[in-house]
Amino acid sequence: MRRMRALLTLIVLAGVALIATPAPASAAPLPGVFRDALGRELVLRGFNVSGSGKLRESGLLPFRSTADAVASAQAMRELTGATAIRFLISWEGVQPQPGVIDHAYLDRAAAQIRAFTDRGIRVLVDYHQDLWSRHLFDADSWYTGDGAPAWVIAGGDHPDESCGICLLWGQNMLSNQAVREAAHDFWANERGLQDAFLTQAGAAMRHLADTLPASSFALVLGMDPLNEPFDGGLDGMSGTTWEQQRLMPFYQRFRAVMDANGWAARPAFVEPLVFWNTTFGEAGGLSTVGTLGTRFVFNAHYYDGARLTLDPTPAGDGTYTAAMNRIRDRAAALGTTGFVSEFGNALSGTSSASRTPWMIRSMYQGLDSRLSGANWWRNAATAGPVLSATQWHWDVYSGRHAEAMNGNPSKILTTGDAWNDEDHSVISGTGALRLDPRVLDRVYPTAIAGEHLAFGYQDLARDGYGGAGGTAAWMTPPAGMPAVSALVGGRQYGVLVWRGTGLSAPTEVHLPASFAPARTAVVSTAAATVSSRLLSLSAGPSAGAVHVALVVSAPTGSLPTAAQTEAARAELNSWAAAQSWPMLR
């Protein structure tokens, strides 16, 4: 439901299996990890593609053509270093009529998915819905939806839609009886609607498994069964009981459909009740469903409901650590790994849009570590795992749409996302990033040869748009590390700590475009190689040793001398030796 939450109180890589390995019960509350066949821990970062999948003008797919998908994949890779996307499809697109599967739609979807997998970008397929269906809304309505096809809505006896006094589109989930009753019918399996959904989902999965080349299907992460599930009426239950008695049985049925249609080796990325972790509404979180295990991934969204509505303060260092840690801890309690498949904020049109750059910066900080920057160096042993995530969203048609809202030729939407007055795309319709690149193109570990212990990044992103505004250092080394402080002062830098587990494969770290190979300094206990956009760290096969790597962008001034590098290395080694690193897994 994205921006409106405030008011609504693996991987397979050419034979590489996606494995979510839970932490032992005796460990600190940590989720599992994604691993590749070499045993390396994987971090996935990227974007949702895209809100255009809600629009008829785009054929209910993220892109109007395969060529647009190819260009978008290449741009995303070059501009941000993305390694994963969440790819939107819809029930209406797959099954426009009862019993009819639109294989041409699925062929187009497969071709667009290949545009990303052919470039090494992994894909989570998402069955998307918002407000259940656009076919619930009148032609002159202020709002619209997406998801269920017209025939599903026509079969129900729903009242005329009305949100009442609604300032934000998500309020329809609370006050629009047409929307609520349509969702309620699904969860109650009225007229066999849930059965029909699962049948078409199985057909779609089978089609994609059969159509995508093995090398492409190998990079499909899994399936998100249903975006942002909302209850439509709890029937006297609490939110947690509703999840236990309505939502989880649906996920179990969906899991069985995946198994029967070629997706048995991939997890279901399951979401909690949409109200969970929204600041104002805390119900849900799959807290009463028992242990999920590794065939499911705990798939959460996060938007700052308070700053979207009532809170006028800017975001800063550590603003979102608590919210992201809640996702980490919930995944750990469920015995699986966590994934944040949506987060972000509007770039215009809301009270918080002017504060968006640092809101996004702080959200990424929360994904990187359990800690604020001010606490990172002192408490790095408790930094916890890096969360994989896909930001909302990446729309190459941003600001140049031509969508007839609810089919009304008198309401042609052209601006923003062309959907319910939203404007969230980080890419413009002209192909330029709309935020400071330092917010989006970040240092992060993509593959860790061992046990990840801590990661932190000082991005120095500005608080305005287009590189405007001021900056601030959120992650300053302590006074007892003068050599490190001199090396990183006023510069972008990242720190990775990991324990070797006997793997001979390298640890790999994505480097932003701002880290030019000739102007990048690395201080590490592992042998380091810097190339364009990649830091490769080879620690050798020794198990049990703790390794540290500090990577610094030095675009101006003198590069550190050998003596300065050795002094910084000595400080890093002393610092790491003084930490009480946990035995994670």
Side-chain angles (χ1 to χ4, degrees), residues 143-170:
Y143 303 104
T144 190
D146 64 280
W151 63 268
V152 168
I153 305 307
D157 184 19
H158 308 306
D160 186 49
E161 65 91 8
S162 174
C163 191
I165 301 174
C166 286
L167 301 178
L168 301 172
W169 67 258

Side-chain angles (χ1 to χ4, degrees), residues 103 106-107 110-111 114 205-214 216-217:
H103 291 282
L106 292 169
D107 283 339
R114 280 199 63 183
M205 284 186 275
R206 173 54 60 189
H207 185 108
L208 292 175
D210 291 345
T211 301
L212 290 169
S216 182
F217 191 52

Side-chain angles (χ1 to χ4, degrees), residues 5 272 276-282 298-307 318-331 338-340 342-343 359 362-372 387:
R5 293 181 166 224
W276 183 74
N277 208 20
T278 60
T279 304
F280 296 108
E282 302 300 319
F298 181 63
N299 174 17
H301 294 179
Y302 182 72
Y303 296 94
D304 187 343
R307 283 179 176 79
T319 296
Y320 298 116
T321 53
M324 296 305 180
N325 289 343
R326 198 170 188 220
I327 295 170
R328 288 180 171 91
D329 294 344
R330 191 84 288 278
F339 190 86
V340 184
E342 284 191 30
F343 68 99
M359 289 174 67
S362 188
M363 288 177 190
Y364 273 111
Q365 181 194 51
L367 293 168
D368 287 344
S369 167
R370 295 185 68 93
L371 302 169
S372 68
L387 279 171

Side-chain angles (χ1 to χ4, degrees), residues 5 34 48 86 124-127 222-229 247 251 267-274 276 285-286 292 296-302 327 330-331 334 336-343 387-390:
R5 293 181 166 224
F34 297 116
N48 282 257
R86 182 170 178 247
L124 170 62
V125 181
D126 161 49
Y127 260 102
M223 183 74 74
D224 185 339
L226 193 69
N227 176 67
E228 296 183 344
L247 186 59
Y251 287 153
F269 285 65
V270 296
E271 302 185 30
L273 184 64
V274 69
W276 183 74
L286 302 182
L292 287 179
F296 296 89
V297 168
F298 181 63
N299 174 17
H301 294 179
Y302 182 72
I327 295 170
R330 191 84 288 278
L334 289 165
T336 189
T337 194
F339 190 86
V340 184
S341 64
E342 284 191 30
F343 68 99
L387 279 171
S388 293
T390 49

